[in-house]
Amino acid sequence: ITSGARLISWTRNAAGQYDIYVNGVFLATISVTSTSVTNAVLSLLGIPGVSFGSAQTAMFFAGGALTAGDHLAIYNAALAYHQGVGAA
């Protein structure tokens, strides 16, 4: 994926503990106090009422208990797709 574009993903390891991956490579573990999830509208790939530009989220994925290998596999698949369509 070209410079300026990155795949950033998180995995929740335990209550309040998250691993962060950038382009499929582990970056850091952070701790954040867990709270209950509120009932709210989830908007993906843009904000309602706002036009899209070139610096927008282009991909969203979710999974349960993603491993380091899963993060790398998702990045490699996204990279192959972007290369295939001439976007990387």
Side-chain angles (χ1 to χ4, degrees):
I1 297 176
T2 60
S3 62
R6 289 167 187 66
L7 178 65
I8 300 170
S9 52
W10 295 49
T11 293
R12 182 175 188 240
N13 297 322
Q17 184 180 19
Y18 301 85
D19 286 347
I20 303 170
Y21 294 82
V22 177
N23 291 349
V25 178
F26 175 77
L27 176 68
T29 297
I30 63 167
S31 295
V32 178
T33 303
S34 288
T35 61
S36 61
V37 177
T38 58
N39 184 10
V41 174
L42 176 62
S43 296
L44 300 175
L45 307 177
I47 301 170
V50 177
S51 62
F52 290 88
S54 62
Q56 297 293 321
T57 302
M59 185 176 115
F60 177 83
F61 62 90
L66 297 175
T67 66
D70 294 334
H71 286 275
L72 183 58
I74 291 167
Y75 169 73
N76 287 334
L79 178 61
Y81 169 78
H82 282 95
Q83 288 171 334
V85 298

